[in-house]
Each structure stands twice: as structure tokens, then as C-alpha cells.
Amino acid sequence: MGEKYDPFQRVGIYVPGGTAPLASTALMTVLLARVAGCPEIVVCTPCDKERQINGALLYAVRAAGATEIYRVGGSQAIAAMAYGTPTIRRVQKLFGPGNAYVVAAKRLLFGRVAIDLLPGPSELLVIADDTADPAFVAADLLAQAEHGSGHERIWCLSASANLLSKVSQQIATQLNTLSRREFIQRTLDANGWLVQVKSAYDAIKLANRIAPEHCEVMLKGGRRIAEQIRTAGAIFIGPHSPTVLGDYMAGPSHTLPTGGAGASFAGLTVDQFQRRTSVVEYSAAALKRSLPTLSKFAELEGLDAHGRSAQIRFAPRKGRK
């Protein structure tokens, strides 16, 4: 009894590039496919108004190992890779983050093509107490709101009203210094929350219900608290572990579940670019020892052909010794 792992022969990866060219996503997805041994790695990414792909993004995709690159964005890119077109041959499995429409397309296509997980607009939930630096908390929240689709979600949970007040002040102060403040403000208005909870225990319960993509733990006993958070895509502990580390270099892949999908899905790993196959090889002696069990199951289920398919190998037949 055993297993074998084979790389998918043709995978499709979506790399966002609309409001920001996410070169880091190329490294966090395409490289994994390359390491897994996928021979055909198809990348779709949107182009700009001049029908060009950002130079840094294009270089990252090529350097990471993409074998085909198409200037197609949004849900139509997901559909093209799943169904196939005269230009883009269909793939076996889809990977990569995207906006709300990309995630919706992946949900609809599940079953027609294999899906990695549901990594949509960025999310960050911070659990903090009075030991946290409000400037750090605010900076991290603003960073994840910066993607700017308006569907990003950020939370800060704390039992300290004083900390939440200072975080709010820091957000207002820092926002005015940022180049993408209009994008950030859109997210803050739609999906930004500073929530006062009764205790760290209540914050943990709420975090596990929300299942955020990223969860920062900035309070005393951070490691102990982190052990109780079971649905986050990734957990960052302490004042010197900002989410941006995971975005760019800390690893593992920054392609993580969002929208509550973290309750069921984990982040992207190399093994997801391979498919597992069970392998069974019995000797005649082993099969013979198994006959009583096989026969009993077949009898219980009323499937006599099942039983016979094993029994026939030991039944005497004409012309057979």
C-alpha cells in the first residue's frame, strides 16, 4: 500500500495587476508550481491602458518559471483557463489571488476545474492590548487597506478603549502621508472596524469566527494566544512581525484564504500543485488471506460480482491448473 505524487501537467495562475502590479504574487505562486515540477505553467494577468504588462511584474513571472503569459484579467481570465479558448488551452487546476469577481468565478467553476483555495481581497485582523504601539497597529491596517478595491477588510480588536482611540488617531495622521490614500479611504469606509471586546478570550472567539487571511497578535502572551487561533490564514506574533513580511518574503506563500474560507482552507503550498494517487499491490497470498473479509462485505452489500472478482482468482477452472 502506498501513494505517489505527480505534478499537474498544466496549471493556470492568476496574478493581479490592476491597481497595483503584484510582482510578489508571481514569486508566491509560480515558483511553487516550478518546484512541484509542473511542465506547463500558464499565467494570466491584466494589462494597462497601453496594453502592456508592468515590466517588473512581467520579469518576475518569467523568472519564476511561467511557460505561457497572457494579457487577460478578471473573471474572464479564470473562465478562459478553465474552459479553454482558441488561444489559451484549458488547465487542470487554477491558482492565485484576485478581486471579488475572480473569487466568485473560481467558486462557480469548482468541479469543472480543480481550485487551489479562495484568496480574494486582502484581510487583516489585529488583536492588541495596551502594550501594543498604536502607530504599528495603524500602519499595518493601512498597509492591507492599500490594495484599494474597496472589498478589503481590516479589524482591530482590543479590550482597551484607550488603545483603540490612539489607533484611530494614528490612522488619520498616517493616512494623509500616503500616496494611495483615496484607495485606502475607500476600504476604511466600507470595511474598517475598531472593535472593543471584553477580554482577549472574546477577541480569540471573534477571530476564529471571522477566519481572517492575516491575524496579528500584539499583546502579552502572544504565542499562547496564537495557539488558540485556529482559522487564520497566517498568524504574525509580536511587534516586529508586520503582515508585510508575509506579503513579500517571510513565507510561506502569501496566497491565503479570505472571506471566511480559512475555516476550511489552508494557505498555498507546493503539494497543492501535485495530485496524489493511491497505489495497491497484493501478492496472491495476501489476497487469499483477505478473501473472508472481502466476501463478507460483498455479502452484506448484496454485490456478488464484487465478491466474485476476488474469489475467481482462486476458483478451479477448466484448462487451469
Side-chain angles (χ1 to χ4, degrees):
M1 306 291 294
E3 298 174 339
K4 74 184 188 81
Y5 288 79
D6 298 294
F8 284 102
Q9 296 301 288
R10 184 173 175 82
V11 297
I13 298 174
Y14 186 77
V15 178
T19 62
L22 299 186
S24 58
T25 294
L27 305 182
M28 297 283 183
T29 53
V30 179
L31 271 179
L32 275 67
R34 181 178 175 183
V35 169
C38 300
E40 297 182 14
I41 305 171
V42 181
V43 170
C44 283
T45 190
C47 57
D48 59 24
K49 294 179 180 179
E50 283 70 44
R51 302 176 64 186
Q52 299 298 313
I53 298 175
N54 176 271
L57 174 57
L58 182 60
Y59 179 84
V61 170
R62 285 176 170 170
T67 59
E68 300 171 37
I69 305 169
Y70 297 98
R71 294 176 294 179
V72 186
S75 57
Q76 56 269 36
I78 302 301
M81 290 188 283
Y83 287 101
T85 75
T87 304
I88 305 173
R89 289 189 296 110
R90 65 174 299 180
V91 302
Q92 293 173 278
K93 189 170 182 178
L94 288 170
F95 299 85
N99 61 24
Y101 299 100
V102 168
V103 174
K106 291 173 79 172
R107 287 182 187 273
L108 290 170
L109 291 168
F110 182 82
R112 176 170 290 276
V113 66
I115 302 293
D116 56 347
L117 54 149
L118 297 171
S122 188
E123 298 171 344
L124 170 61
L125 184 149
V126 179
I127 301 175
D129 62 13
D130 281 321
T131 65
D133 188 321
F136 294 177
V137 175
D140 294 352
L141 294 172
L142 290 169
Q144 294 310 304
E146 187 174 29
H147 291 284
S149 73
H151 297 285
E152 293 78 15
R153 301 193 297 172
I154 60 170
W155 303 263
C156 179
L157 312 182
S158 179
S160 170
N162 181 53
L163 175 78
L164 293 174
S165 176
K166 290 180 179 179
V167 169
S168 180
Q169 293 170 13
Q170 279 292 324
I171 287 175
T173 299
Q174 294 183 33
L175 180 60
N176 289 328
T177 67
L178 298 172
S179 62
R180 290 172 63 89
R181 53 184 171 271
E182 292 183 7
F183 291 99
I184 297 171
Q185 190 65 60
R186 182 190 309 168
T187 297
L188 294 177
D189 292 342
N191 297 301
W193 295 276
L194 302 179
V195 182
Q196 185 175 2
V197 294
K198 291 182 179 180
S199 64
Y201 173 75
D202 290 319
I204 293 167
K205 285 203 303 181
L206 185 53
N208 281 327
R209 287 184 60 184
I210 291 172
E213 178 187 20
H214 309 100
C215 182
E216 290 188 5
V217 179
M218 291 196 204
L219 70 176
K220 290 181 180 178
R223 289 188 181 181
R224 176 178 53 81
I225 296 296
E227 290 178 358
Q228 301 175 63
I229 298 170
R230 299 182 175 90
T231 61
I235 301 173
F236 301 81
I237 305 171
H240 303 297
S241 304
T243 299
V244 69
L245 274 174
D247 289 342
Y248 289 149
M249 60 177 295
S253 174
H254 75 198
T255 303
L256 300 166
T258 64
S264 305
F265 290 88
L268 190 63
T269 50
V270 171
D271 64 295
Q272 293 178 50
F273 289 86
Q274 299 176 326
R275 65 178 308 280
R276 179 186 59 82
T277 304
S278 299
V279 179
V280 179
E281 183 180 9
Y282 270 45
S283 65
L287 177 59
K288 192 169 186 177
R289 287 195 301 269
S290 302
L291 275 180
T293 300
L294 292 171
S295 299
K296 180 55 69 174
F297 269 109
E299 178 186 342
L300 289 171
E301 295 183 353
L303 301 174
D304 57 339
H306 277 59
R308 186 175 300 166
S309 73
Q311 296 160 358
I312 197 171
R313 285 164 166 76
F314 301 98
R317 285 183 287 162
K318 290 183 179 181
R320 175 181 175 181
K321 295 182 179 180

